[in-house]
Amino acid sequence: MGWRAWLLVGGLFSATMGQRFADIAFALHAVQLGSSAFLAAVLLASAIPGLLFGLVGGVVADRSPRWWWWPLGLTLQAGVFLTLARLDAPWHLVAGVAVSSTIGAVLGPVGSKLLGSLARGHENRAARANTAATGTAAVLGTALGGVSFALGSRGTLLAVTGCALLVLALCGAVAHHRGSVTTERAASDAGAWVGFRRLASPAVFGTAGTLCVVGVVLGTSVEAVSGVFVLTGFVGVGEAGYGFAVASWAAGIVAGGALFGGLAPHRLSMPLSAVGMGAMIALPAVVAVPWAAVASFGVGGVCNGVFNTALATAIWTRVAPSEHGRAWAAFRWTVTYCLLAGYVAGALAGTGGARLLVLTSGGAAALAGAAFLAVRVRDGRGHPPAPSTDSVSGTTAPGLRRHG
């Protein structure tokens, strides 16, 4: 993996920390306002543009991306957050988040496609590095964001977010070089929905694998809303214990990507890690032991790190490079849709139904992983599915011959 790929990973580390600063800023500002509606509006403003324009972003990334498009988009996003740092009206903040999210939806897949192109032949190493870097940034960003808000203000955190996006814009501009991104050379099979067909193909995830991804994302999103009530209520870890549990999961993601990410290319790594994640999500809803809950979150985080690494490796190595943008756009669209569904389910369940919802979502994720595991074991006894071919050239794209 060359220096350009490492530079881009560093930029993604910076941007992830900045985004966590923004998340903390909006959450704590909602507490100051005493308005859950404000936080809900921010979450919707950040998610809906992805559903509306995310697939367009995949087409943009695949067809003819210019090297300056993504850095320019990141610079515009940075400008939005730097402007929001000086504004106070809630509707200004929500509108700014919507504008930034729209830009990210249209140009975001370019970044994922670029990293895969720069790491050609070393996709697993890139996936491990990216998982570990963004996981570390999430831990540091969450911890430092809370301290910074206490010492400073919401405006300070949003200004830091803007500066972090500028760092990624600079890294993206330097990392990109002529010919680094494979573009589509013909209009055949060029629809925005082709990414879904690639992800659901037997060579990538298949139907069982796609359902596994959906189950895992739904499980983690439900836990994000209802898990706090289970841990602080049924388990009784307290506020400090809840913080330790969340930090344990985040630290586990880093460890999973850095220490065990080398296992990700194996065909059983993704379903096994999905089973582990689902079980660790459900465990605190069954066993009311504080230390066991914190430990289960650590193990779940490790599984999450392996799962993320395996997923990224599969997309980069088993989808034609000229379709990477639409494959990543389809994946992000699926994640956004599942997150919204999970958030709504958690909100409707309330505090009284939180334990049952967490148990159900974690169990469903584990069962989805088990079904995927059964399919992978069955296919492993016969002939593994051949990777999809480049729909433009009709030849197997570089890197797609690895069956893992």
Side-chain angles (χ1 to χ4, degrees):
M1 198 167 82
W3 67 269
R4 286 187 172 90
W6 284 111
L7 178 65
L8 190 56
V9 169
L12 292 169
F13 171 86
S14 172
T16 302
M17 277 199 66
Q19 185 58 55
R20 285 306 177 105
F21 269 54
D23 293 342
I24 292 293
F26 289 128
L28 295 182
H29 187 59
V31 173
Q32 288 183 337
L33 295 175
S35 173
S36 59
F38 167 74
L39 185 56
V42 169
L43 291 174
L44 289 174
S46 64
I48 290 177
L51 296 179
L52 297 178
F53 306 109
L55 299 182
V56 176
V59 175
V60 170
D62 280 338
R63 286 189 172 174
S64 57
R66 301 294 185 266
W67 72 267
W68 48 269
W69 284 4
W70 189 45
L72 176 60
L74 290 167
T75 302
L76 293 175
Q77 286 181 283
V80 169
F81 278 100
L82 291 173
T83 301
L84 292 181
R86 302 177 61 87
L87 299 177
D88 293 317
W91 75 269
H92 285 156
L93 300 177
V94 173
V97 171
V99 171
S100 176
S101 298
T102 301
I103 298 172
V106 173
L107 293 176
V110 177
S112 298
K113 185 180 178 79
L114 176 58
L115 181 56
S117 298
L118 294 174
R120 190 70 50 77
H122 303 280
E123 291 88 355
N124 178 247
R125 182 180 297 180
R128 293 174 63 185
N130 189 43
T131 298
T134 53
T136 302
V139 175
L140 295 177
T142 301
L144 295 178
V147 174
S148 300
F149 190 93
L151 297 177
S153 66
R154 168 190 53 79
T156 302
L157 268 67
L158 296 182
V160 172
T161 301
C163 293
L165 288 168
L166 288 176
V167 171
L168 178 57
L170 178 61
C171 292
V174 174
H176 200 297
H177 65 284
R178 188 177 183 83
S180 63
V181 176
T182 303
T183 58
E184 188 179 78
R185 297 180 294 280
S188 61
D189 200 19
W193 296 91
V194 71
F196 291 101
R197 295 201 296 273
R198 293 296 176 262
L199 296 184
S201 66
V204 185
F205 301 135
T207 302
T210 303
L211 292 176
C212 174
V213 172
V214 170
V216 166
V217 176
L218 279 174
T220 53
S221 60
V222 166
E223 193 285 323
V225 177
S226 300
V228 60
F229 303 110
V230 174
L231 290 173
T232 58
F234 174 70
V235 180
V237 299
E239 295 179 356
Y242 175 70
F244 278 118
V246 173
S248 179
W249 187 287
I253 292 177
V254 178
L259 301 179
F260 305 105
L263 302 174
H266 194 281
R267 62 187 301 107
L268 301 185
S269 63
M270 190 171 169
L272 284 174
S273 59
V275 172
M277 288 175 65
M280 294 304 102
I281 288 173
L283 184 62
V286 179
V287 181
V289 179
W291 67 264
V294 174
S296 71
F297 266 48
V299 175
V302 171
C303 295
N304 198 168
V306 175
F307 185 87
N308 291 350
T309 305
L311 189 147
T313 302
I315 293 177
W316 278 329
T317 59
R318 291 180 169 267
V319 176
S322 60
E323 296 172 346
H324 277 177
R326 282 165 292 176
W328 280 108
F331 169 70
R332 291 180 177 181
W333 191 94
T334 302
V335 168
T336 302
Y337 185 85
C338 290
L339 286 174
L340 285 175
Y343 291 159
V344 171
L348 292 177
T351 59
R355 182 185 171 195
L356 178 59
L357 185 61
V358 168
L359 179 61
T360 302
S361 63
L367 288 176
F372 189 23
L373 177 63
V375 171
R376 282 285 171 94
V377 170
R378 181 199 65 193
D379 291 345
R381 292 174 180 171
H383 297 287
S388 59
T389 56
D390 187 320
S391 61
V392 176
S393 65
T395 59
T396 301
L400 296 182
R401 298 181 179 85
R402 300 180 182 84
H403 294 285

